Structures are given as structure tokens and as C-alpha cells.
Amino acid sequence: MTTPAETADEANRRLVDQYTEIARLAGGLAHEIKNPLSTIRLNMELLAEDFAETNTPQGRRALAKIEVVQRECQRLQDLLQNFLSYTKVRRLRREPANLNEQVHRVLGFFAPKAAEAGIEVVDYLASDLPSVLLDREAFHGALLNLVLNAEQAMPGGGQLVVRTYPHGDSVALDLIDTGGGMDPKTAAQVFDAFFSTKPGGSGLGLPTARKIIEAHDGQITVQSEQGRGTKFSIRLPVPPRLPAGDGGQA
């Protein structure tokens, strides 16, 4: 609780310090869990090898149970990795960047998966974008997460529209899919940690993407309608000292 003598900046710094300590402890706990989990996974692999050649009903049942444990171990491993990414205190190394180039990089990586999933990717990238400050690797991870989320929303294929454009003193990036969409209650929770509508989902992908965007002093919002699809919108501020016209299409 803020005391009368405590300024807003001091209170914010105190909250950041508290969050940093909680994140450090949570990360340490996750690392401690990973060690015995790795031991369990290794022993399950050895057991699976022992039962691989079995032809008895009892052996086949044992192998099936081992495979269940292996799948759950992998799920826990993925969850821990996502959790560590979410809790990590990010110190971004931002530098002037071409947003359209970052979009092209992600879409190029995604292209084979999109073709396999029957997803048509359409991009409308403005040629007159000003430069923005980005940590390229962190932003790449956030944008890729959003693109993969769109793919999962269109299991039967569809269309993903990606567009960039100037927006006041910022630049905007929209990702619009033709998936099944979400009801208002679900849309309001997509950025909540551990909330997921996908079987086996960690519920940390979108919250992590939001943390990265906000660490860039940006904003991310979602609009969705059941049966019509979903739009994620990102706004990134344009530093006043960066030259305009350096963010054109790659």
C-alpha cells in the first residue's frame, strides 16, 4: 500500500521489484521441476525400449501405460518452457527496425505450414511506414505466436489477412483470420495466463505475446465474432527522432 510520503514512481518501482522477485522464484521452481522431470522421461524411454519387443498382453498393456506417461511428461515439459518464457523479466534490446521486414520474416517461416493447412495468407503492407524500435527476436516470437494461433483457429483452412498502416503517432499491425471466432467472454480472457480453449494448451502463448508487445510500449487488442473470425491488432509507438519512410515493404 502506498504511504502518503511515497510517490507514484517509488510505488511503481516497488511493485516492479516485487514482481521481479516473484518471477525469479517462480522461474527457479520451474527449473527445479525440470530436473526430476528429465529423469522420469529418461527412465520412461528405457522402459519403453525394454517392452518394445514384447508380444504378451501384459507387456502390451505396460507399454501403453508407459506411452501415456511419456506424453504427459512432454506436456509438462512444454508447459514449463512456456511458463519460463512468460515469467522471464525481459530487458529488450530495441533498435530501429522495419516492421514490414519483420512481418515478411514471420510469414516466410509460416508459409510451408500455411500451405499444408490450406490457409491463404494475404498481406497488405503499407509502403510508407515510419521505423519503430524493436527487439527483433522477441518481437518475432510474439508475432509468430499470433500467426500460429490464427492457424489453430482455422483447422479446416481459411484465410489470414496481415496488414500494416500508419496510425497517428504509431504504426498498426492487424492479423485477421476467418476461423470460428470467439464469444465475448472467451475474447475477454484470451490474454489471461493459463486460460486456453485448446485441449492440452498451456494458455501462456497469448499472454506472453502481450507481455512482449507491452514491453515495446505497444498495445495489443482483440476483436472477434463467432462464425466470422478474429482480429488481433498491435499498435507500436513511433519515436519522434526516427525518420519516416524507412519502414517500407521489403
Side-chain angles (χ1 to χ4, degrees):
M1 183 174 180
T2 304
T3 64
E6 187 177 35
T7 68
D9 286 343
E10 290 171 342
N12 287 337
R13 282 196 297 271
R14 182 170 54 82
L15 289 173
V16 168
D17 289 342
Q18 289 175 351
Y19 167 78
T20 301
E21 178 64 13
I22 292 171
R24 186 187 67 79
L25 292 173
L29 177 60
H31 276 295
E32 288 301 315
I33 293 173
K34 286 178 69 175
N35 293 331
L37 180 60
S38 296
T39 302
I40 294 170
R41 290 184 65 187
L42 175 60
N43 280 275
M44 287 298 103
E45 290 172 6
L46 295 174
L47 277 174
E49 291 176 3
D50 291 342
F51 284 95
E53 304 299 328
T54 185
N55 291 315
T56 66
Q58 182 179 13
R60 289 194 294 271
R61 287 195 300 271
L63 184 58
K65 293 173 182 176
I66 291 169
E67 290 172 349
V68 169
V69 175
Q70 286 180 307
R71 287 196 299 271
E72 290 303 300
C73 282
Q74 184 61 54
R75 190 171 74 86
L76 283 173
Q77 185 77 28
D78 293 342
L79 178 61
L80 283 172
Q81 191 59 48
N82 290 334
F83 179 71
L84 287 171
S85 296
Y86 178 73
T87 58
K88 184 166 58 177
V89 178
R90 296 186 176 274
R91 289 180 173 84
L92 300 182
R93 297 181 60 183
R94 295 191 288 173
E95 54 188 6
N98 182 315
L99 179 59
N100 287 344
E101 287 183 357
Q102 303 308 305
V103 172
H104 276 299
R105 179 185 171 199
V106 170
L107 295 184
F109 182 86
F110 177 64
K113 196 171 184 66
E116 182 181 347
I119 295 174
E120 177 191 13
V121 178
V122 180
D123 63 84
Y124 299 103
L125 306 184
S127 60
D128 57 346
L129 287 183
S131 297
V132 291
L133 291 175
L134 293 179
D135 181 310
R136 287 175 170 82
E137 293 307 312
F139 187 79
H140 175 86
L143 184 53
L144 181 60
N145 196 302
L146 291 169
V147 169
L148 294 177
N149 185 76
E151 181 228 341
Q152 293 168 1
M154 299 182 284
Q159 186 179 79
L160 175 63
V161 175
V162 183
R163 67 187 183 191
T164 60
Y165 52 95
H167 188 269
D169 57 356
S170 64
V171 296
L173 167 62
D174 293 342
L175 296 98
I176 307 166
D177 68 61
T178 57
M182 298 175 283
D183 60 57
K185 182 179 179 181
T186 301
Q189 294 179 278
V190 293
F191 294 120
D192 292 347
F194 299 109
F195 174 80
S196 178
T197 59
K198 304 164 192 169
S202 68
L204 289 171
L206 291 177
T208 301
R210 183 179 68 172
K211 281 188 65 176
I212 294 172
I213 300 302
E214 291 179 347
H216 283 84
D217 298 322
Q219 294 180 327
I220 180 170
T221 57
V222 61
Q223 293 177 285
S224 189
E225 185 176 342
Q226 284 186 302
R228 299 197 64 180
T230 299
K231 178 175 79 171
F232 283 95
S233 297
I234 296 171
R235 303 286 184 269
L236 296 169
V238 175
R241 295 184 181 179
L242 286 181
D246 189 34
Q249 191 166 332

